[in-house]
Amino acid sequence: MDGSETGWGRQAEPAPRWRALLDRARLGGRGAEHPDADHRPDEPPPPTQDPLPRRAAGTGWTGRAQAVARPADASFDAEPAYRVEATYRVEPAYRVDPRHGGEPAYRAEPAYRAEPEPRAEPSWRAEPVHPPEPGYPEPQARGRGTASVESRYALLDTGYQPDPAPVESRYALLDRGRYRPETHPAPEPPPPAPAPAYPARPEGYPARIEPARVEWRAQGPDSELERATGVLRRELGGPRVLAFANPKGGVHKTTATVLAAATVGSVRGRGVLAWDDNELRGTLGLRAGSARHARTIRHMVHDLAQIEILEGATLLEHLDDYLRHASDGSYDVLAGEESPRFAQRLDQFTVKRVLELLRRTHDVVCVDTGNNVESPNWRTVMQAADQLVVTTVPREDAAFSADWMLDLLHEEGMGELADNAVTLISCPTPGRTSLQDDLERHFATRTRAVAVVPYDPALETGSSIEYHQLQAETRQGWLKAASVMLEPFAR
């Protein structure tokens, strides 16, 4: 619209007057009794203006404003009876209060007064200079110095930094790492007490004792013998049965059984027994032990039922009546029967009962198994043995018989016993032959270990065997061989 009352033809009035008219129309034509809500009593009255023109007396169009418009264009055929109706209808009861003038024009608000620039703060007064403490660096110059003082707000805009701590502050020195605590010299320790006067070293005493050292040295003969002796002295984890076997006769089975028992007994002192389990007139009883009585395995088997029920010292006392002893008391002997008719009575059950009885009273039982591999007592001893000792001499027939026996044990299901066996080669003559080297290499592949005992002239006659009469070299050889036999059981 153009700003007139009806919007047709009249010039636009100032904004304040037009706003007042619009307020009057919205308030429903209230008169003088309703003062203007926007009028403020404390403001001076506005200048009087001409009242609005009144509408003419009533006509056919009473209550309607005259249409004020531009003349119609002649080129358009307007209907003659058509009258343009005013777009704004004024109520007849509306009267304009002549005393009220138009609202005064809005006065521009005065511009905000610029905030007065804050006064510059006075510069910091210099602090009194303190003499530096001894041992501390001199304080550095302060950051501001005599530079011009700026406003704190300006300093904030340009990156205000607080003043550093005073140089003389110890906390600032600690932060910068320049502080060093005062050190006082440690008191001198008291003089050491005079060393006690020792008596003069006796003549021949070394002037200085060297500290102990651990050095590796190759084992000599003495260390090997000490090791073998230590093995025989250890706990064996229970009674052990050593079976000396070879189907061939004359291969030193009986000699090996007696000397093994004598060697172990000389170290352990007691608890060792040698049993002649030869069903065909064994000679172990003749070559070992003192013949204080003529009792053999036959007598013990006859009274076996009465002996088995005994315990402890009573058992040892009654069993001793059937055993023979070595001259030095190092081992016991259970002699075999000389009569060939008794061999039929040694069945597998009787042999098991005898072995169980001997295990109750002895720690090591050495058994001479005889030559018949088909006999029940031979097979029973093989099944009950903890260690098999294959005896042989450096001869081809003896080695062949021992090799065949190992094959037989594998076929009978005792291959583990054969693989863990110890081959014992006894030298019947002095010196060493090439066949002995071949036998050692061969049986080393079939058994766990191979032991060689040297020749001794005291054994050549075949008489009674006395351990203490053997040569030192022979005793040492048997000591090493016995340790190899019992080493897997030593604890």
Side-chain angles (χ1 to χ4, degrees):
M1 299 180 62
D2 295 336
S4 63
E5 181 181 6
T6 60
W8 298 94
R10 296 181 61 180
Q11 297 294 328
E13 296 183 359
R17 184 176 181 82
W18 167 251
R19 183 175 179 180
L21 292 176
L22 185 60
D23 293 340
R24 302 298 188 279
R26 187 173 66 251
L27 294 176
R30 288 180 296 181
E33 65 276 12
H34 300 285
D36 187 7
D38 295 337
H39 179 70
R40 301 177 181 178
D42 55 345
E43 295 181 0
T48 305
Q49 297 182 1
D50 295 337
L52 296 175
R54 297 179 179 272
R55 194 177 296 276
T59 59
W61 298 88
T62 305
R64 296 178 180 269
Q66 295 293 334
V68 182
R70 297 179 182 179
D73 191 359
S75 62
F76 295 91
D77 296 335
E79 294 181 4
Y82 178 77
R83 294 182 182 181
V84 179
E85 186 175 0
T87 59
Y88 183 81
R89 182 175 182 179
V90 180
E91 297 290 338
Y94 179 79
R95 297 291 184 274
V96 179
D97 189 1
R99 294 175 302 174
H100 179 72
E103 288 188 359
Y106 287 97
R107 291 177 297 176
E109 295 183 1
Y112 289 99
R113 292 179 297 176
E115 184 177 353
E117 186 175 355
R119 293 177 299 174
E121 297 181 0
S123 59
W124 294 88
R125 291 179 297 177
E127 298 181 0
V129 179
H130 298 278
E133 298 181 9
Y136 292 96
E138 295 185 359
Q140 301 292 334
R142 297 186 59 85
R144 292 191 177 183
T146 57
S148 59
V149 180
E150 300 179 1
S151 171
R152 288 210 169 196
Y153 301 98
L155 292 175
L156 286 173
D157 296 338
T158 58
Y160 173 74
Q161 299 294 336
D163 292 338
V167 177
E168 61 275 9
S169 172
R170 291 198 172 186
Y171 299 100
L173 293 176
L174 285 174
D175 295 338
R176 300 175 185 177
R178 297 202 304 263
Y179 176 73
R180 298 292 185 273
E182 297 181 2
T183 58
H184 301 282
E188 296 182 0
Y198 292 98
R201 293 186 180 92
E203 185 177 357
Y205 191 83
R208 180 185 178 188
I209 300 177
E210 296 292 338
R213 295 183 300 176
V214 179
E215 296 182 358
W216 180 88
R217 294 181 181 179
Q219 289 187 349
D222 295 341
S223 61
E224 294 181 5
L225 295 177
E226 292 176 359
R227 177 182 176 276
T229 304
V231 171
L232 298 180
R233 288 175 178 172
R234 295 179 189 173
E235 179 65 29
L236 301 179
R240 302 299 175 180
V241 176
L242 308 182
F244 294 80
N246 191 326
K248 178 75 171 65
V251 292
H252 292 194
K253 286 193 304 292
T254 303
T255 303
T257 304
V258 173
L259 289 179
T263 302
V264 177
S266 64
V267 176
R268 298 182 69 89
R270 58 184 178 83
V272 182
L273 179 138
W275 176 24
D276 187 0
D277 188 30
N278 195 331
E279 71 283 358
L280 297 175
R281 296 188 67 176
T283 60
L284 189 146
L286 300 176
R287 302 191 63 184
S290 60
R292 61 189 182 96
H293 58 73
R295 297 186 182 95
T296 61
I297 182 64
R298 178 172 61 88
H299 301 87
M300 189 176 70
V301 170
H302 182 270
D303 301 333
L304 188 59
Q306 290 78 18
I307 300 174
E308 288 177 331
I309 61 176
L310 302 177
E311 297 287 345
T314 306
L315 173 61
L316 293 175
E317 182 180 355
H318 282 73
L319 183 61
D320 187 67
D321 296 337
Y322 303 93
L323 301 180
R324 303 176 185 181
H325 306 288
S327 58
D328 57 356
S330 59
Y331 65 99
D332 301 328
V333 177
L334 178 59
E337 179 59 34
E338 297 179 359
S339 174
R341 292 178 297 180
F342 175 75
Q344 298 177 358
R345 299 178 57 184
L346 283 177
D347 56 7
Q348 58 180 350
F349 300 103
T350 304
V351 173
K352 286 182 179 179
R353 292 171 61 187
V354 171
L355 285 175
E356 290 297 328
L357 178 62
L358 297 178
R359 282 177 171 173
R360 291 168 56 187
T361 57
H362 294 79
D363 297 330
V364 179
V365 178
C366 300
V367 183
D368 182 2
T369 58
N371 302 329
N372 187 7
V373 298
E374 299 295 336
S375 62
N377 61 334
W378 188 92
R379 292 178 177 267
T380 304
V381 171
M382 288 293 108
Q383 295 173 356
D386 297 297
Q387 178 66 61
L388 172 62
V389 181
V390 180
T391 62
T392 185
V393 292
R395 290 204 311 261
E396 292 185 1
D397 56 346
F400 176 79
S401 178
D403 205 38
W404 173 80
M405 183 188 66
L406 294 175
D407 294 337
L408 176 64
L409 293 176
H410 279 279
E411 293 175 2
E412 297 295 331
M414 292 181 282
E416 184 178 359
L417 180 66
D419 293 337
N420 294 326
V422 175
T423 302
L424 180 65
I425 301 178
S426 300
C427 298
T429 58
R432 186 179 184 90
T433 63
S434 60
L435 180 59
Q436 179 178 340
D437 298 336
D438 296 339
L439 294 180
E440 291 180 11
R441 287 192 298 267
H442 171 72
F443 285 103
T445 61
R446 300 217 59 185
T447 57
R448 175 174 62 87
V450 176
V452 179
V453 291
Y455 163 80
D456 195 291
L459 304 174
E460 189 175 3
T461 60
S463 60
S464 177
I465 300 174
E466 298 293 340
Y467 181 75
H468 63 277
Q469 294 180 359
L470 299 178
Q471 297 179 357
E473 183 182 0
T474 305
R475 291 196 301 269
Q476 294 175 5
W478 279 102
L479 182 63
K480 296 176 184 178
S483 66
V484 172
M485 300 174 191
L486 295 178
E487 186 175 11
F489 315 108
R491 299 292 186 266

